[in-house]
Each structure stands twice: as C-alpha cells, then as structure tokens.
Amino acid sequence: MLITNSTELNQSENSQSVISINNLNHYFGEGSLRKQALFNINLQINQGEIIIMTGPSGSGKTTLLTLMGGLRSAQEGSLEILGKQIRGAKKKQLTELRRNIGYIFQAHNLMTFLTVKENVRMSLELHKKHLVGDINAKTVEILETVGLGNRVDYYPENLSGGQKQRVAIARALVSHPKIVLADEPTAALDKKSGRDVVEIMQKLAKEQGCTILLVTHDNRILDIADRIVYMEDGKLISDGIDTVAKVY
Ligand code: ADP
Ligand code: MG
C-alpha cells in the first residue's frame, strides 16, 4: 500500500468535481490567422475517476489536456481545477496547481543523464512536502511497484520503451498527485507493454485515490476507463455519461 489514508480521502471527497469545465473555448493564432481549436467544452470529472479521452488526430485532445494541466492559459469560459478557477490565473497559481498534477507524455521525457532512480527522485525534490522522510526509500518503493526494482541504477538508454514509460509513471505518481494527465502514453509501445503500463497506472490511481485523464487512440485499453469521452473537430461529442454505447 502506497498511501495509508486513501480510504479516508475517497470518503471525504468522493463526489466532488476535481475538474469542472464550462463553456470553454480556445483559439490559436492572432488576427486573420486566429483559429478556434476548442468549442464550448463542458465536462465534469470526479475524484478517483479514470477517464479516457479519444477522437481523431487534430480534434483538440492535447489542447484540452494541457489547459487542464495548467500548461497553457485558459482564454474563454470557465475551467476549475481542484476547486480553483484557472482562467485568468497568475503564473504563480498555475505553478502551484502543477504541483498537484502528474504528467505522462507519449515520449517519456526522461533525463538521459540521470539514472532511473535520480529521474524519479527529482520529482520528489520539487515538492517541499516530500523532503521530509526518506526520499530514497520512497523512490525505490514506487520503482518496485512499477516492476523496476532491479533497474534503479540504469540509465534510460538501457531500458526498453515499456520500461521507460514505467519510469515516467513512477515519476508522475511518486508525489501522490491528485490528478494524473497522460497524453497517448502507450502510443510508442507494443500491445503487451502498453497494457502493462495502463494497468500499473490504474492500480496506482486506485490505491492513491487520484483522478486520471488519459488521451489515447489505443482501442485495446479502453476497458480500464470508468468513462470514455469523445472529441471531434474541437467539440466534445460525448462526455461518456450515458452515450458510451452510441460512440462504440
Ligand atoms: P489532438 O491532440 O486531438 O491531435 P490538438 O489539440 O493537438 O489535437 O490540436 C487541435 C487543433 O489545434 C489542430 O487543428 C491543431 O493544428 C491546432 N493546434 C494545436 N496546437 C497549436 C499551436 N500551438 N498553434 C496553432 N495551432 C495549434
Ligand atoms: Mg494530441
């Protein structure tokens, strides 16, 4: 067990929206080049949910994910993350928000000059609250959980794609973020590694009570979701609440 109070967390925050999006629009470019990328998005995500977001390339999935992660500024509409309004938020507030979010991308983005253990430990070192206690032990524990207990001193170049992505998961989850955002985390992996990676994410998320939003094209992993949302041409076509059967 990675966290001892996850049950308590689930009970006290169970039905709360951790992400609440209302009438959100987003545009790229200026003047005559201005192009709308997101149209009137409405979406509520509750604590502990695993949401898969799918839809064709260019439909706005990454744009929406990066907005939710505070990686770009919301322009129009309302975007509340963990109870805070993000539209109009200052840089400092966005930085604070990002501390509560774990990110996993298609390319694992590991530091090639750091070992597996150092890559994961760095994530803890960025969180003041984690500097108490044995950060080495926490690092090794999560690496054991993702099945890499015997690779802690390896450099990323000596790992397989699936192993690198498992390091990225350990790095994202070691600080027990409230939200994990994953953008096509299995895209570069074979079927078995892709499956392993999402199952590890699912297991850790359930243990920690964290919310996962996972963008994917990978039909083979849809079953891990509590809910599947579908984007097309910058619009949320289904929020998955009672229309999953129609989309699939
Ligand atoms: P998806 O992740 O679903 O493939 P994206 O969110 O990456 O879609 O892109 C949605 C739309 O916004 C596309 O038309 C894309 O070309 C456009 N877009 C994305 N990022 C930028 C950017 N930085 N500048 C201009 N247009 C962008
Ligand atoms: Mg994308």
Side-chain angles (χ1 to χ4, degrees):
M1 216 33 203
L2 283 160
I3 185 169
T4 46
N5 65 347
S6 64
T7 326
E8 189 186 307
L9 200 73
N10 280 332
Q11 278 164 0
S12 61
E13 294 183 13
N14 209 9
S15 55
Q16 261 183 19
S17 269
V18 292
I19 298 176
S20 176
I21 305 175
N22 290 290
N23 306 318
L24 186 74
N25 292 309
H26 195 80
Y27 308 82
F28 286 112
E30 305 268 313
S32 61
L33 295 176
R34 192 173 193 239
K35 186 174 164 260
Q36 189 161 357
L38 295 179
F39 296 81
N40 198 36
I41 306 289
N42 291 284
L43 181 64
Q44 314 297 321
I45 300 179
N46 294 327
Q47 203 257 331
E49 272 195 294
I50 299 182
I51 307 271
I52 284 188
M53 182 185 289
T54 183
S57 182
S59 57
K61 304 181 298 298
T62 296
T63 305
L64 186 54
L65 194 88
T66 51
L67 279 162
M68 291 190 228
L71 299 171
R72 63 173 85 243
S73 305
Q75 300 165 340
E76 208 174 283
S78 169
L79 174 62
E80 277 182 43
I81 311 287
L82 300 168
K84 298 217 169 63
Q85 179 57 248
I86 297 310
R87 190 175 56 83
K90 303 262 181 316
K91 272 212 168 105
K92 195 171 160 223
Q93 292 166 297
L94 290 180
T95 307
E96 188 53 44
L97 168 72
R98 290 197 287 263
R99 291 211 174 95
N100 290 302
I101 300 181
Y103 304 91
I104 301 165
F105 299 102
Q106 175 177 344
H108 47 79
N109 295 323
L110 299 177
M111 303 285 181
T112 54
F113 51 89
L114 297 178
T115 65
V116 163
K117 190 162 79 181
E118 288 164 347
N119 265 286
V120 174
R121 196 175 59 202
M122 195 173 68
S123 162
L124 278 179
E125 286 165 351
L126 296 173
H127 293 77
K128 277 196 202 99
K129 67 173 176 180
H130 289 294
L131 289 178
V132 291
D134 188 343
I135 66 170
N136 258 318
K138 283 182 198 168
T139 302
V140 171
E141 187 189 341
I142 192 127
L143 283 167
E144 280 168 357
T145 311
V146 300
L148 292 175
N150 55 353
R151 294 285 187 275
V152 295
D153 294 319
Y154 278 53
Y155 284 90
E157 63 180 358
N158 297 319
L159 300 179
S160 70
Q163 288 170 330
K164 281 187 254 201
Q165 205 54 307
R166 281 189 271 151
V167 179
I169 291 172
R171 182 183 54 182
L173 282 145
V174 69
S175 60
H176 292 210
K178 296 199 173 74
I179 301 172
V180 171
L181 301 175
D183 200 350
E184 312 216 18
T186 65
L189 305 180
D190 61 63
K191 183 178 176 189
K192 165 95 172 55
S193 319
R195 186 80 213 171
D196 286 352
V197 156
V198 291
E199 281 177 1
I200 290 167
M201 280 172 69
Q202 181 186 33
K203 176 171 173 284
L204 284 174
K206 293 292 175 203
E207 281 177 9
Q208 297 187 3
C210 84
T211 305
I212 294 190
L213 184 81
L214 193 158
V215 168
T216 190
H217 278 121
D218 190 347
N219 289 333
R220 301 168 304 203
I221 62 169
L222 297 180
D223 61 292
I224 69 140
D226 296 319
R227 183 145 64 101
I228 299 169
V229 305
Y230 185 74
M231 299 268 307
E232 212 172 278
D233 297 332
K235 300 183 184 84
L236 197 71
I237 302 293
S238 165
D239 73 358
I241 289 190
D242 51 20
T243 46
V244 177
K246 277 189 223 157
V247 177
Y248 293 94

